Amino acid sequence: MKGEIINYNKSKIHVGLDIGNSKIACLIGQSVDNNNIQIKVLGFGQHISMGLNKGEVIDLHKLSNAISKAVEKAEEMAGLRISNITCNITGGLPFTKITCDNIEITNDIIKKEDVLNLLNLDKYKSKYEDYIQIRRKPKAFKIDYGQEVGNPIGLKSKTLTLEAINTYVNKNVISNLNKSIELCHLTVNQFYITPEINGISTMIKEERDLGAIIIDIGASLTSIGIYLKDSLIYSSFIKIGGIHITSDLVKGLGTESEEAEKLKILHGSTEVNQLDNFKNIDVNLINEKGELTSQNFPKSMLIGIIKPRVEELFELVIQNLKNSYPDYTKISKVIITGGTSNLNGISNIAKSYFNCNIRIGKPIGLLNAPDLLQSPSFSCLTGLVLKSSREQNNKWLYSFFKKLREYFFN
C-alpha cells in the first residue's frame, strides 16, 4: 500500500467486502460517536470479479488476486491497513427458514439450561446436510397453551417452544470463499447473506418493523428477502440476474458482451414511448464476414429485448414467494436494489406483479461518500459496514451463544 499511514481508533474501523459476480468491492468506514445509523467513509476500492461463478469459487487464486486489488485501493484511499472484514455470501443458494422446536421441562420450571438446550437444538441438521447454520435468532418463545412470552426463564410450564429464524449456507461454498480471503491475509469476522445486509442499508427501521420485501438483482443471481418486526424472516436466491439481460442483447443484436453491457447501462429501459421508435442507437456488432462494424437500431428494439427478461425475473420471484412464503401478499412495500434496479421503468414492471408500493433501494447512512457509492449497486457493500458498526455499538459479540447469554442472563 502506498501513501501515508494514518492512525485511527481501530475499534471504530469497520470493513465490508462485497464479493459479487461482476465486481469485488471493499469499503472502509469509521463509526460516528453516539450514532449507530451512519458511517463515515474512509476508503473505497473495487475490481472486476474473477474466479467466481454464481457466487461459487472456481479459481482460488484468481479470486484472491481480485480481492487483494480491491482491498489495496480502499487501503490507499483510507491511509490504513486492514486485517479483519465483514463479508457477504451468495453462492450455493443460501436461505432463511423459520423453524419450530419444543422440549419438555423437568419439574415444570423453565431454567437457563432449558433455554440454551432449545436454542442449540437443530432438528434440521440432517435434512440440510450440505449446509451449515450461520445464524439462529429467536422469533418467539411459547409456554403451555401456546402463550407467547418474552423471557421464559423461571416461568412454570410443562413445555417450552421456540420459533427461530435460521440462516443456512452451503458448507463448501463458505469454506472456499474463506480460503480465498485468507490468501489475502485477511480474517472474516462474520459472513452475512445479501438480503439481511440490504435490509440494513436500504430501509429505515419502521420499514423493517412493518414489513417489506427486498429484492437485489445482481449480475447472475437475484436475492429475495422479507423483513418483519425488524428481522429477516425469509430469504432465497434465484439463478437469474443482469448478466442474462446482457446475454439477450448479445444474441438479439449480434454484438459483443462488453458493447451489450454498455448499451444496457446507457440506454436500458423497460418502458417504450412514442419517440423510441424514431430514436436510433449506434451499436457496434460483428457482421457476416466476422468484421466489426456499426449499425443503427431503434431504441424500441433494445427495450423489446430487455423487457421480457425483466418480466421473467419478477415472475420467478413471485413463484418463489408463492411456493415458500404465501403470506407475502400481506406485505405492502417492495424495495428493489442491485445494479439492474437502475433500469428505467423497472419499478412499474414490479408494481404490475406486486400491486403495492415499490421503490428503488439506495444506500443510506453514509457520510463523505463519493457519488458512485450512492448507487443501488453498492447497497450490499454499505450494509456490511453498517451492520459491523451497529453490532459493535450495541456491544453484541459475534459468538452466537455469547450474544444469547448477554440477552437472557445479564
Side-chain angles (χ1 to χ4, degrees):
M1 183 190 72
K2 299 176 182 179
E4 181 183 355
I5 303 298
I6 302 173
N7 291 323
Y8 291 100
N9 183 342
K10 289 186 178 180
S11 65
K12 293 184 178 182
I13 300 300
H14 304 276
V15 184
L17 183 66
D18 178 6
I19 300 179
N21 292 285
S22 64
K23 68 180 185 307
I24 310 293
C26 178
L27 178 62
I28 303 173
Q30 184 178 32
S31 57
V32 181
D33 290 338
N34 303 317
N35 182 345
N36 70 345
I37 61 172
Q38 290 180 307
I39 198 86
K40 180 182 178 182
V41 174
L42 300 178
F44 165 71
Q46 63 175 330
H47 191 270
I48 188 170
S49 184
M50 303 173 67
L52 200 71
N53 182 31
K54 292 184 172 63
E56 300 184 27
V57 181
I58 57 174
D59 190 314
L60 283 170
H61 294 284
K62 282 185 177 180
L63 178 57
S64 175
N65 185 52
I67 292 171
S68 293
K69 289 183 177 179
V71 170
E72 285 170 6
K73 290 175 184 176
E75 287 179 326
E76 185 171 353
M77 179 177 171
L80 62 84
R81 291 186 176 89
I82 62 170
S83 56
N84 295 78
I85 63 166
T86 301
C87 187
N88 70 320
I89 181 168
T90 59
L93 304 179
F95 60 94
T96 300
K97 183 180 182 65
I98 294 178
T99 57
C100 186
D101 302 298
N102 62 79
I103 58 172
E104 293 185 357
I105 303 301
T106 306
N107 299 325
D108 296 350
I109 298 295
I110 301 172
K111 304 177 184 64
K112 296 177 183 179
E113 291 75 17
D114 296 320
V115 175
L116 284 175
N117 288 338
L118 190 54
L119 289 167
N120 196 33
L121 186 62
D122 188 3
K123 295 189 301 185
Y124 302 89
K125 189 173 183 179
S126 58
K127 182 178 180 181
Y128 307 126
E129 58 182 17
D130 293 331
Y131 288 76
I132 60 170
Q133 187 185 84
I134 62 167
R135 204 98 58 245
R136 181 170 168 84
K137 180 180 179 181
K139 179 176 181 286
F141 284 100
K142 295 180 181 180
I143 56 175
D144 290 347
Y145 310 109
Q147 181 183 349
E148 190 170 319
V149 298
N151 185 346
I153 297 172
L155 297 180
K156 185 174 182 179
S157 179
K158 293 182 179 179
T159 62
L160 178 61
T161 300
L162 168 65
E163 288 184 4
I165 305 167
N166 309 273
T167 299
Y168 296 90
V169 300
N170 185 281
K171 291 179 182 178
N172 292 337
V173 171
I174 196 170
S175 176
N176 290 333
L177 206 57
N178 198 50
K179 287 178 183 177
S180 295
I181 295 168
E182 286 178 344
L183 287 174
C184 304
H185 307 289
L186 297 170
T187 301
V188 180
N189 288 331
Q190 189 76 352
F191 279 103
Y192 290 100
I193 61 172
T194 303
E196 181 175 4
I197 291 306
N198 282 335
I200 300 295
S201 64
T202 64
M203 298 184 204
I204 59 175
K205 187 177 184 300
E206 286 73 15
E207 289 177 316
R208 296 193 298 270
D209 281 333
L210 295 174
I213 298 172
I214 179 77
I215 301 171
D216 183 311
I217 309 174
S220 58
L221 295 169
T222 293
S223 69
I224 310 161
I226 297 178
Y227 262 89
L228 188 63
K229 296 182 180 179
D230 201 24
S231 294
L232 182 72
I233 60 170
Y234 172 77
S235 74
S236 185
F237 286 74
I238 56 177
K239 293 182 177 181
I240 186 172
I243 197 171
H244 295 87
I245 297 174
T246 304
S247 177
D248 291 343
L249 291 173
V250 169
K251 296 172 184 175
L253 300 177
T255 187
E256 296 177 320
S257 294
E258 187 175 340
E259 177 74 3
E261 184 68 21
K262 184 174 74 174
L263 289 170
K264 183 180 72 174
I265 294 171
L266 295 177
H267 306 287
S269 178
T270 61
E271 293 180 333
V272 180
N273 60 48
Q274 293 179 345
L275 296 177
D276 287 333
N277 288 319
F278 305 99
K279 182 178 180 181
N280 289 327
I281 298 172
D282 192 45
V283 179
N284 294 322
L285 51 81
I286 303 172
N287 62 20
E288 295 177 354
K289 296 180 180 180
E291 299 170 338
L292 189 64
T293 184
S294 180
Q295 185 173 333
N296 287 330
F297 290 95
K299 185 178 178 181
S300 58
M301 183 175 177
L302 189 74
I303 297 170
I305 296 172
I306 293 173
K307 186 177 179 181
R309 181 66 82 171
V310 174
E311 290 174 333
E312 180 195 9
L313 186 150
F314 283 115
E315 286 169 5
L316 291 171
V317 170
I318 290 291
Q319 192 60 51
N320 178 284
L321 291 170
K322 281 182 178 179
N323 292 340
S324 303
Y325 197 88
D327 284 345
Y328 82 93
T329 54
K330 297 177 182 178
I331 305 292
S332 61
K333 179 167 285 188
V334 174
I335 296 163
I336 307 170
T337 192
T340 306
S341 68
N342 286 313
L343 277 175
N344 180 50
I346 196 169
S347 295
N348 291 330
I349 295 286
K351 195 166 187 177
S352 68
Y353 285 93
F354 286 97
N355 297 312
C356 66
N357 294 324
I358 309 285
R359 73 170 175 84
I360 302 300
K362 297 182 179 181
I364 54 178
L366 291 178
L367 299 175
N368 299 337
D371 291 341
L372 180 65
L373 274 177
Q374 306 296 332
S375 164
S377 300
F378 297 100
S379 294
C380 179
L381 179 64
T382 301
L384 289 166
V385 179
L386 287 169
K387 182 69 172 178
S388 175
S389 175
R390 291 178 189 184
E391 289 287 300
Q392 184 160 314
N393 286 341
N394 292 333
K395 296 182 180 179
W396 279 16
L397 301 175
Y398 289 113
S399 166
F400 172 69
F401 289 109
K402 287 183 180 179
K403 284 196 293 184
L404 291 174
R405 286 182 182 278
E406 186 175 57
Y407 178 80
F408 284 109
F409 309 141
N410 286 359

